[in-house]
Structure formats: structure tokens, C-alpha cells
Amino acid sequence: MNHILDQDIKYLPGVGPRRKEILSKELGIKTYGDLLEYYPYKYVDRSKIYHIDELSDDMPFVQLKGKILSFDEYAMGIRQKRIVAHFSDGHGVVDLVWFHATQYVYKKYKTNTEYVIFGKPSIFDGRFQFTHPDIDQADQLELSSMGMQPYYITTDKMKKVGLTSRSIEKLTKTLIEKISYQPLSETLPPFIVQSLHLISRDSAFHLVHYPHDTKEMQQARLRIKFEELFYVQLNILRYANERKKKYQGYIFQHVGTKFHYFYNHNLPFTLTDAQKKVMHEIRNDMKTGKQMNRLLQGDVGSGKTLVALMSMLIAIDNGYQTCIMAPTEILAEQHLITIRNFLKDMNIRVELLTSIVKGKKRQTILQGLANGEIQILVGTHSIIENRVVFLHLGLAVIDEQHRFGVKQRAKMWLKGERPPHILVMTATPIPRTLAMTIYGDLDVSVINELPPGRKPIVTQHYFDNQTTSLYGSIRKQILLGRQAYIVFPLIKESEKSDLKNLEEGFEALKDIFPEFKLSKVHGKMKPAEKEAEMHKFVKGETQILVATTVIEVGVNVPNATVMVILDAQRFGLSQLHQLRGRVGRGGDQSFCLLVTTHKLNEITRKRIEIMCETNDGFRIAEADLKLRGPGDLEGTQQSGIAFDLKLANIAQDGQIIQLAREQAQKIIDNDPLCNKTDNQILWEHLKQLRKTHINWAAIS
């Protein structure tokens, strides 16, 4: 290890205590190593000099070499002026423009001195101009050695103490010169570096900051990205490997009478090929003696609950109890109703345990779990309370698992003499690259087709001045005997203005649809009120449910065929997709109507376009990841792994993640005990990473 990288950043010439404080607070840079790992966000080619007659206004940053001919001043209101310098290289004239620091401009720049100017050309009054360009004296600049100039993200507070992108560049240059006498130690073994044609770690850190050309920049970034992602994958796979060796699973040897009765008499429809494949994977896990840890991904309405129930029946046939844990009481109650309907005429005891189950009823349930009489327990996080004791818990299903923290999920392991099989379900499709990183130690199953008879939902975009047409579409469906959701964007329960919009909107909708009955649901209502309103809608007593996003999860009304989302520009892609999944649950054609303002930025416009183009949750999740990045995606904060990646990007570096995964898997397969001499460099570096700033909390 290079101990110089642990040196306090304040000792680097040009930093000192004040700048150290700002660097630490704003960017988390405390040591030489932190600065070295603060990578440029873009590069500009400084090796080429353009002529003025080659310029066009769609060019990126360019350089010109020439002289200032003269200065002009133009008044811009009280005590404000614009300074314009007329600059020529013998091939034309351009204007250099400053709006601030006027005296500084006159002191710093002179006529008839040769300068290199650098900036983005634009056209004003028919002439090219450069606003606040970078200017260097030509005789002080070694253009041949400049290559690609790095640009670093800086904040307003940094700029106030003179820490601009150029300043960071100079500090980094000082640091690289300081450490150049001692090459940085390698963190990957020669066989990986050579087989993948990677450059050395030492070269990568020099060239990522100061590449001479695009090729060098790409080589440096590839090496650093690969290393970051490789160690994430190596850690996950090592952890998963250790867990598999440590924990034996219950062996469910046979598929018995309860499963067969259900399959032959109660199955509501023929299983899709995807459901059959997933059942086969789960069945294999549970009969091998390994402890199952499987992630079941499937869009809203794809039949995950049915697969979970059939897995539970296998556990019950082998003499074990099962449970399913949901994030909300509404969803838990929905699961209870669904499971009891599925199991009609079967002698299986299914009970509900949430915070509203109290007193004698709760006592009876706790007793039934302890003596084994309850075979399926449906509940919220109440299931993992210490007082809840199972006689033989063999399988635990966790629904919408990203709503639960790592510690909550881990408590499930302590409910028996050995950890139960775990089936984690999510209706939030997770892109493959993200799944490999967040849920890298889980085996992944995917249900990627809908049950027969389901029609794809038609999604349409309305602007908020097209309400006549919108209300007509809603009325047409309700007159056919269908029901509709109208969702208002209450993003945070504390936003009073949103609540006011919903209340006013509800009153307005009653006037617009006087012939129909309306229900209203939002998070500020008491649970009993909310339940009563939802119940009216479920039973068909009201035709329109006006709601906030509390209906995102856990409402199943097959007769509802219209989902209207107002101010859809305020929702993320995943949330829009989840809301859309509330309709399309019966055999009738369903519609999702997205209503927005006319003022849409590019990202929002793309979001709406994607929703109208596809119902495929995985395509939507991939798009969401690209538009928002992994840190914003719902669930990543709860996953147990911090995205402490300095350069690699989960959304854009899928191929490198795949490569890193394959290499890490080879290491684990070849060295399952982690003790081979060839790999010592890996295990040592992994140990160092675990001790430092990366959050390697266990996953699943």
C-alpha cells in the first residue's frame, strides 16, 4: 500500500487548513488518496489550435491563438458594464466578452500580446463571441504536451475560496508529481491485468487526470472502473459463498397432497411458461439441502403471489410453516384475501398478523404459531417481533422487499433452529446490471409474461388543457360499467398545498361527474376511514377513487380499467409504472391517462414517451436507471450496499459489470477457501476496502 496516499490533504502545497475544510465538507476529500480518486467529469482536447474562419456555433470548446486588437465598454444598467475585447488571429475577428471583474480584465490582458484563448463559440449580432474565456499567454503554454484538459465538478462554496476546476487540476498535478517517484502498488494480480489487457494501476491514475489523447483516457477509465466493480462483485460472491458453506437449508423432499390438490382443483388459470420455469428453480433450491435465497422479479399482475403460494404448499406438505411479509397493512390484507380465495375448500389455516390485530385475537395467533396449527402467516413487520415464535418455519416470503431494511430482513433468519428458505419478491423490475450489484448474492428468477387473457394497457398522454376529451374518456368507461382511479401527486404527506389540491380537486370532480359516486383516499386519513373508502370502491359502491399514491401498492380491483395520473411530470418512471399496474387486472381493455403541463424538460418528456411506448417493466426500469442513476432508484438505499463508486456507473457500464462478475466468479470457483498464493493480493486489498470507507453491509 502507498502510505503517502493517507497523508492529510492540508499538507499538499496550495491547500492548507481553510481549503482542506472546504474540500472535506464539499467533496469528502481529506487525504491525498481522496484527491487522486476525484476524477474529471469531462475532458477537452487542448492540442489543436483552430482558425477563426473554421468556427461554427455548434462547436464544443475550442482554442484560438492570436492578439487583442482593442477594448470597448458598453453600459448595462446602474454600475454595470460589459467589456468586449476584439481578438484576431489573422483569419478573422471574434469578440471576447466579460460581464464582471472589469478592472481585473484591463490589468490582466494587454493589446499586441500573443494569447491562447479557450472557450465555447457562440454568435451574437452576427459575430462570433467567447464569454469569459480561459486566456493564457502563448509563450507560457506548452500546447504540444497539454493533450486533454480535465474538468472537475466544483461547488459555489469552493469557488468562493478560489477552488475552481482549474485549481483542482493544478492541485492534482502537484500531487501526481509528488507521488511519481514511487509507483502506486498494484491491486490486481498479473493474470487478470494481462488477460484483460488492462494498463497498470499507476498508469491509470496518471492518465485518468492527464491523458494525451482519447485512447489513453479510455484505457485509464476502463482500468479504474473495472477495479471498482470487480471488488464489489468479489465481495458479494465471497460473502454468498461463505453463507452457502455455513448454512444448511431444510430439505423439502416431496411434493405432497396439498400441492397436488391445489394444482388439480384450485389453480385459477394455466401457469405461464415463465411461472413453470420459476417453480422449477424454486423446487430445485428447496430439495437440495442448500438454504434458498431467491429474488423473484415480475411485473404487477404477472402472478408472483401464485408462485409464492405454490412454494408455500411444498413447505407445508413437508411439515413446515410458512409466512409472507408485506410492507403495508393494506397489502397484507390483500394477500390474506387472495390466499384464502386460492385455498378455498382446503384444510389450511391462514392468519393475519399486523399492528391492528390486538388482545385475545393476537394471543390466539401467537399460540397457533408456537404449536404449529397455523400453516401460513400473512403480516407486516409485526412478523419479525421477538414475541412471534414459530414451531417450524421453513419458508419466508418477503414482498416488495426494498421497503424493508437489511436488519429487518435478517431477523427472519432467527425464527428457527436454522434459517428458513427465503423468497424475496418485487414488482419493481430491476435492471440486470443493478440486480447483479444490489442483489448479487441472490439467485434471480424472472416472470416476464402476463397470465392468459390479460390485454396490454393502453397509455395516452394528455396536456392539462385537454380536460374535455379526458373526462369524456373516463365517462365512457364508467358508463360501460367500469371504474376509474384519479391520482393526485401528493409526493410527501407534509405538503399541505398538495393536500389542498386533492381536496379542491375532489370537490371539482364531484361537479364534473354528478351522475357517479366518488371515494377519496390519502395518507392523512385515519386507517379506519381509509379502509372504509377503499372498501366502497372494491365492492363497486363508488365508481371513481380519487387518491394519492397510497394506492400504488396493494389494491386489486379487476373492474377498474382507467388510471388517470394528474401532474404526471412529478412522478418517477417506476412510480408511474407501479400506478399503471393497478388497472389491467381483469379481461377488459384498460387505459392509463397521463396528464401533464405543456412545460416539460427533456428528461420528463422522455419519461412520458417511454410510458406511452411500452408496458415492459424491465425496459422501463432500464430507462429509469439511465435517466436518474442508481442512487435515486427506490430500494438502493435499503439494499445494504452503498454505491460508493467513484468512476464506474451502474447505468452505463453494464458490459464492465458483466466482465467483473465473470472474473470474480472464476476467482471464487478456483479459490473457494480464499487462501491461494496467486490471489493473496486480492484478499488483502478486499480486507483493506472493508476497513475503509466502503459500506460492505451484507445483502439479503
Side-chain angles (χ1 to χ4, degrees):
M1 294 302 291
N2 297 72
H3 297 298
I4 191 169
L5 296 184
D6 297 330
Q7 185 98 354
D8 192 319
I9 194 69
K10 74 179 175 190
Y11 298 117
L12 185 70
V15 180
R18 174 77 183 117
R19 281 182 158 191
K20 180 232 166 126
E21 187 187 340
I22 296 286
L23 285 169
S24 174
K25 275 184 185 169
E26 295 295 291
L27 303 177
I29 293 174
K30 296 175 183 176
T31 65
Y32 285 7
D34 293 336
L35 180 61
L36 200 59
E37 289 185 348
Y38 190 64
Y39 304 114
Y41 75 96
K42 71 172 183 180
Y43 304 83
V44 173
D45 187 355
R46 292 297 302 266
S47 59
K48 181 171 169 56
I49 296 280
Y50 286 84
H51 289 154
I52 289 173
D53 56 12
E54 294 177 292
L55 296 181
S56 65
D57 61 347
D58 59 352
M59 278 181 159
F61 287 75
V62 297
Q63 286 184 131
L64 303 173
K65 189 177 182 183
K67 294 178 180 179
I68 294 173
L69 305 175
S70 61
F71 291 95
D72 275 323
E73 274 186 26
Y74 300 91
M76 290 181 62
I78 301 164
R79 287 186 304 209
Q80 279 196 313
K81 53 189 171 184
R82 174 168 60 106
I83 291 189
V84 178
H86 307 295
F87 180 90
S88 176
D89 64 353
H91 296 268
V93 178
V94 296
D95 290 339
L96 315 181
V97 182
W98 293 269
F99 293 98
H100 313 293
T102 49
Q103 292 311 310
Y104 166 84
V105 170
Y106 291 131
K107 281 180 190 168
K108 181 96 174 163
Y109 307 120
K110 308 292 178 202
T111 54
N112 294 318
T113 302
E114 194 166 46
Y115 293 109
V116 172
I117 68 156
F118 177 69
K120 185 168 187 347
S122 61
I123 292 178
F124 180 73
D125 272 354
R127 190 143 147 174
F128 280 107
Q129 70 170 28
F130 290 76
T131 306
H132 292 265
D134 282 353
I135 301 184
D136 292 282
Q137 266 189 232
D139 58 3
Q140 292 175 9
L141 209 58
E142 291 179 53
L143 286 171
S144 58
S145 66
M146 280 192 74
M148 310 284 283
Q149 184 174 348
Y151 276 72
Y152 301 85
I153 290 172
T154 55
T155 67
D156 289 339
K157 283 184 182 174
M158 289 171 66
K159 286 168 188 161
K160 280 176 186 168
V161 293
L163 282 169
T164 60
S165 172
R166 184 64 80 88
S167 311
I168 298 286
E169 181 196 336
K170 285 175 181 168
L171 291 175
T172 307
K173 195 166 196 171
T174 303
L175 174 60
I176 285 173
E177 284 166 2
K178 209 173 180 63
I179 62 174
S180 59
Y181 68 90
Q182 182 189 357
L184 295 175
S185 51
E186 193 47 84
T187 47
L188 294 173
F191 64 87
I192 288 183
V193 174
Q194 287 158 14
S195 68
L196 298 181
H197 306 291
L198 298 172
I199 62 173
S200 71
R201 184 168 178 255
D202 186 64
S203 296
F205 273 108
H206 282 68
L207 295 178
V208 78
H209 292 287
Y210 290 102
H212 292 100
D213 52 41
T214 307
K215 187 184 174 188
E216 283 187 353
M217 179 261 287
Q218 287 170 342
Q219 286 177 326
R221 289 172 76 85
L222 173 64
R223 161 64 209 240
I224 292 166
K225 285 180 178 188
F226 174 82
E227 181 174 324
E228 286 184 350
L229 293 165
F230 171 78
Y231 276 104
V232 169
Q233 295 298 333
L234 186 65
N235 187 69
I236 290 167
L237 291 172
R238 179 178 177 169
Y239 165 74
N241 186 51
E242 285 170 357
R243 192 194 59 210
K244 280 172 187 166
K245 284 187 292 188
K246 189 174 175 182
Y247 298 110
Q248 293 299 301
Y250 295 116
I251 299 175
F252 299 161
Q253 284 180 319
H254 63 280
V255 177
T257 53
K258 287 187 168 56
F259 182 94
H260 286 302
Y261 181 89
F262 176 79
Y263 195 82
N264 294 321
H265 298 95
N266 287 18
L267 199 63
F269 48 76
T270 308
L271 294 181
T272 61
D273 289 341
Q275 284 174 313
K276 287 176 186 171
K277 180 174 177 284
V278 170
M279 276 309 306
H280 185 68
E281 289 165 348
I282 291 169
R283 174 80 189 103
N284 278 349
D285 282 354
M286 296 196 301
K287 70 180 183 186
T288 55
K290 75 167 190 170
Q291 186 246 340
M292 176 173 79
N293 270 283
R294 188 165 284 280
L295 172 68
L296 175 56
Q297 292 192 69
D299 245 329
V300 174
S302 61
K304 295 184 300 298
T305 308
L306 183 60
V307 166
L309 178 60
M310 290 167 72
S311 308
M312 289 171 162
L313 292 173
I314 294 172
I316 292 165
D317 275 335
N318 284 273
Y320 288 90
Q321 294 164 289
T322 65
C323 69
I324 178 165
M325 186 165 78
T328 65
E329 287 178 359
I330 291 174
L331 188 51
E333 286 165 16
Q334 194 88 48
H335 278 317
L336 180 77
I337 294 163
T338 305
I339 289 170
R340 281 184 173 164
N341 286 341
F342 275 144
L343 297 176
K344 62 179 182 292
D345 305 327
M346 292 180 68
N347 185 25
I348 293 175
R349 189 173 165 195
V350 187
E351 295 290 355
L352 178 74
L353 187 66
T354 67
S355 59
I356 57 173
V357 179
K358 293 187 165 66
K360 200 171 180 183
K361 176 71 176 164
R362 193 178 189 88
Q363 217 40 54
T364 307
I365 289 171
L366 294 177
Q367 204 175 331
L369 291 170
N371 63 26
E373 287 174 10
I374 295 173
Q375 290 133 305
I376 298 177
L377 180 66
V378 181
T380 53
H381 54 269
S382 297
I383 291 177
I384 53 177
E385 288 172 7
N386 293 336
R387 289 179 60 209
V388 179
V389 178
F390 292 82
L391 183 64
H392 291 302
L393 179 63
L395 168 67
V397 180
I398 301 172
D399 193 18
E400 288 306 329
Q401 76 86 43
H402 63 269
R403 308 280 180 105
F404 297 104
V406 174
K407 286 178 184 171
Q408 287 172 303
R409 299 200 298 273
K411 280 187 178 179
M412 200 66 89
W413 285 44
L414 308 172
K415 293 291 176 185
E417 62 265 25
R418 61 174 71 166
H421 293 295
I422 301 276
L423 181 65
V424 165
M425 301 198 301
T426 181
T428 307
I430 301 155
R432 198 163 156 277
T433 52
L434 198 60
M436 269 196 287
T437 309
I438 302 185
Y439 307 114
D441 71 322
L442 298 179
D443 299 309
V444 179
S445 290
V446 176
I447 302 179
N448 54 5
E449 54 185 311
L450 292 176
R454 292 275 176 92
K455 294 186 173 114
I457 300 162
V458 174
T459 303
Q460 296 168 335
H461 178 206
Y462 285 80
F463 288 112
D464 52 13
N465 62 351
Q466 297 173 300
T467 48
T468 308
S469 170
L470 174 75
Y471 297 145
S473 300
I474 299 168
R475 183 171 276 109
K476 186 178 171 186
Q477 285 292 305
I478 298 175
L479 289 172
L480 287 170
R482 317 279 182 253
Q483 289 165 278
Y485 298 99
I486 298 180
V487 176
F488 279 77
L490 183 58
I491 308 297
K492 290 178 184 159
E493 296 295 351
S494 59
E495 288 185 20
K496 286 179 184 166
S497 61
D498 281 345
L499 207 51
K500 188 169 174 245
N501 287 345
L502 180 129
E503 299 285 2
E504 288 173 357
F506 181 69
E507 293 305 319
L509 287 165
K510 282 202 296 190
D511 292 338
I512 292 161
F513 298 108
E515 69 270 47
F516 304 135
K517 291 193 170 71
L518 282 71
S519 290
K520 176 178 65 179
V521 175
H522 58 78
K524 286 282 186 187
M525 292 166 74
K526 288 177 181 164
E529 281 181 284
K530 207 188 305 177
E531 285 301 312
E533 290 289 296
M534 293 280 255
H535 207 59
K536 281 185 206 169
F537 187 69
V538 171
K539 287 173 77 176
E541 291 170 12
T542 54
Q543 288 80 45
I544 298 174
L545 177 61
V546 179
T548 61
T549 52
V550 291
I551 56 127
E552 182 186 337
V553 171
V555 186
N556 184 14
V557 184
N559 192 49
T561 60
V562 183
M563 167 60 72
V564 181
I565 304 172
L566 301 174
D567 284 331
Q569 73 275 3
R570 291 180 61 186
F571 295 88
L573 258 179
S574 292
Q575 204 172 23
L576 289 172
H577 182 62
Q578 287 279 323
L579 286 166
R580 175 167 64 182
R582 296 297 112 216
V583 294
R585 293 172 160 256
D588 301 308
Q589 180 63 62
S590 289
F591 302 87
C592 177
L593 312 177
L594 306 174
V595 185
T596 72
T597 62
H598 274 276
K599 289 179 183 174
L600 299 179
N601 62 35
E602 196 181 345
I603 288 178
T604 309
R605 192 176 43 74
K606 279 185 184 166
R607 210 181 274 158
I608 301 297
E609 281 172 9
I610 290 159
M611 285 295 294
C612 293
E613 278 168 22
T614 184
N615 281 289
D616 182 339
F618 288 94
R619 263 194 68 195
I620 285 166
E622 288 284 358
D624 204 14
L625 183 58
K626 285 194 171 78
L627 290 174
R628 293 206 286 167
D632 295 331
L633 285 188
E634 191 172 29
T636 56
Q637 303 310 315
Q638 286 290 311
S639 67
I641 183 163
F643 280 97
D644 204 349
L645 301 172
K646 299 283 197 327
L647 192 59
N649 182 310
I650 301 287
Q652 293 161 7
D653 297 322
Q655 286 180 307
I656 305 175
I657 293 173
Q658 185 64 50
L659 184 64
R661 177 84 171 183
E662 286 164 8
Q663 291 296 320
Q665 189 64 62
K666 278 183 195 171
I667 299 291
I668 295 293
D669 293 344
N670 181 43
D671 188 7
L673 299 175
C674 310
N675 59 9
K676 289 196 175 175
T677 314
D678 286 356
N679 297 326
Q680 279 316 293
I681 190 173
L682 299 174
W683 308 129
E684 281 302 314
H685 189 60
L686 190 58
K687 212 182 288 177
Q688 289 299 322
L689 287 173
R690 279 172 158 167
K691 279 181 196 167
T692 55
H693 56 280
I694 297 181
N695 173 9
W696 296 110
I699 309 154
S700 93

